[in-house]
């Protein structure tokens, strides 16, 4: 039985990350290390800092990462990509060119007999009205069509600058630390969702850039995956146990 892996939030291409090329290479080495151990890899959003697919153009770069995705799917490894709040705008390129399965909404799926609820996490229980307004604009089909009228040189440049400024507004460019069960919005959302979905064994999210492994009941466990900017964390399910791990090059055991 091969493993199933979960990662999120690499924000490849970010103008706020100085070691971007090194970061991409590290991610690609991780994927190469696990390729013979994996039956599936779930990427839970924001693997790119900004990604917008025009009809005849996509953002330049990411050749190592995209090539590795193609290699994985060619080998028969399932690669599932959940769009986040930085990479909503996917219209077929990764599916057609790399063989990736795209998910634009939270998904409940059975893996090795366990029920998983998987999502990037943005917009779930979020009480920030400004963020929710911007999110609604980003998801609006009319706004997307209008944005696509911009030349890629300007559209992609604008998107990367927007993402950079958003990150630099935060203290040290990092998300706030864990706020506790009574304040963490994804935890509150999950507890409410559990009331009507008692069959779910594992909830796994990205988005928050914190490492969290929390038992919510005797049956149900919740994880937030950290990131691939400074933490290099991931989860792995071997069919029986779910682990949170940190990738140290040359030391991947699972």
């Amino acid at each position: 039985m091969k493993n199933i892996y979960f990662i999120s939030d690499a924000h490849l291409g970010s103008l706020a990350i100085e070691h971007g090329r090194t970061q991409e290479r590290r991610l690609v080495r991780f994927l190469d290390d696990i390729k013979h151990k994996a039956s599936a890899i779930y990427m839970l959003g924001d693997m790119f800092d900004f990604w917008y697919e025009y009809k005849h153009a996509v953002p330049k770069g990411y050749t190592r990462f995209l090539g590795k995705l193609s290699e994985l799917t060619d080998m028969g490894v399932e690669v599932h990509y959940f769009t986040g709040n930085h990479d909503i705008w996917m219209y077929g390129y990764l599916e057609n060119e790399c063989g990736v399965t795209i998910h634009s909404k939270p998904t409940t799926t059975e893996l090795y007999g366990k029920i998983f609820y998987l999502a990037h996490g943005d917009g779930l229980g979020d009480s920030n009205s400004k963020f929710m307004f911007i999110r609604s604009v980003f998801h609006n089909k009319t706004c997307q069509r209008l944005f696509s009228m911009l030349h890629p040189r300007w559209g992609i440049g604008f998107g990367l600058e927007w993402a950079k400024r958003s990150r630099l507004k935060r203290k040290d460019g990092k998300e706030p630390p864990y706020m506790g069960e009574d304040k963490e919005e994804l935890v509150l959302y999950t507890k409410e969702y559990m009331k009507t979905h008692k069959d779910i064994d594992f909830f796994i999210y990205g988005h928050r850039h914190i490492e969290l492994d929390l038992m919510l009941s005797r049956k149900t466990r919740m994880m937030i995956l950290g990131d691939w900017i400074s933490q290099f964390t991931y989860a792995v399910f071997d069919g029986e146990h779910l682990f949170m791990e940190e990738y140290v090059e040359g030391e991947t055991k699972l």
Side-chain angles (χ1 to χ4, degrees):
M1 182 181 292
K2 291 190 174 183
N3 297 332
I4 299 172
Y5 294 85
F6 307 86
I7 62 175
S8 73
D9 294 277
H11 290 266
L12 296 176
S14 172
L15 300 179
I17 298 175
E18 295 180 1
H19 56 282
R21 183 62 59 83
T22 301
Q23 175 207 19
E24 182 184 5
R25 286 174 173 155
R26 187 171 186 173
L27 174 60
V28 168
R29 281 193 287 268
F30 165 73
L31 295 173
D32 195 59
D33 284 350
I34 68 171
K35 66 184 180 184
H36 295 296
K37 309 169 191 176
S39 64
I41 302 170
Y42 286 81
M43 300 182 173
L44 299 189
D46 285 0
M47 297 303 292
F48 302 100
D49 201 45
F50 178 76
W51 181 270
Y52 192 97
E53 294 177 14
Y54 290 82
K55 185 175 182 179
H56 298 295
V58 295
K60 72 175 183 179
Y62 318 113
T63 52
R64 294 166 182 81
F65 178 60
L66 296 174
K68 186 57 62 176
L69 294 183
S70 300
E71 180 187 349
L72 288 165
T73 59
D74 285 349
M75 291 174 58
V77 179
E78 294 181 21
V79 178
H80 295 262
Y81 195 112
F82 286 68
T83 57
N85 52 302
H86 285 251
D87 47 16
I88 303 162
W89 309 276
M90 294 192 174
Y91 307 121
Y93 182 81
L94 265 67
E95 297 102 310
N96 297 331
E97 299 298 326
C98 303
V100 171
T101 300
I102 299 295
H103 302 269
S104 58
K105 296 180 181 179
T107 295
T108 301
T109 187
E110 182 176 338
L111 302 173
Y112 293 146
K114 296 293 185 179
I115 306 299
F116 285 74
Y117 179 92
L118 305 172
H120 179 60
D122 65 308
L124 301 182
D126 203 308
S127 61
N128 186 319
S129 58
K130 181 179 179 181
F131 173 80
M132 292 304 290
F133 172 75
I134 293 173
R135 185 177 186 276
S136 69
V137 171
F138 286 171
H139 281 265
N140 183 274
K141 297 298 183 184
T142 300
C143 292
Q144 290 174 4
R145 284 193 290 269
L146 290 172
F147 188 87
S148 69
M149 294 178 184
L150 290 175
H151 190 281
R153 177 180 180 181
W154 305 111
I156 293 171
F158 172 80
L160 287 169
E161 270 302 324
W162 177 289
K164 175 186 176 181
R165 293 190 180 193
S166 176
R167 179 159 303 282
L168 293 179
K169 286 180 181 178
R170 303 181 181 95
K171 185 178 180 181
D172 300 323
K174 297 180 179 179
E175 297 286 339
Y178 178 56
M179 297 182 288
E181 284 190 48
D182 59 336
K183 293 183 179 179
E184 193 67 46
E185 289 171 336
L186 276 175
V187 176
L188 296 174
Y189 167 83
T190 302
K191 287 182 175 181
E192 189 64 28
Y193 194 85
M194 285 170 57
K195 294 177 182 178
T196 53
H197 299 78
K198 300 182 184 299
D199 61 327
I200 296 176
D201 298 290
F202 302 109
F203 290 82
I204 304 183
Y205 304 104
H207 186 54
R208 272 287 280 118
H209 293 237
I210 59 172
E211 298 174 59
L212 181 66
D213 187 351
L214 187 64
M215 289 299 301
L216 297 178
S217 72
R218 292 179 63 183
K219 170 184 172 63
T220 306
R221 188 172 164 195
M222 170 185 169
M223 281 187 173
I224 300 178
L225 294 173
D227 66 36
W228 272 74
I229 298 172
S230 60
Q231 300 171 64
F232 305 100
T233 45
Y234 63 97
V236 54
F237 182 57
D238 64 6
E240 186 175 356
H241 303 290
L242 182 67
F243 304 91
M244 182 85 82
E245 297 286 343
E246 177 185 357
Y247 177 60
V248 179
E249 292 187 66
E251 296 184 11
T252 303
K253 300 175 182 177
L254 296 171

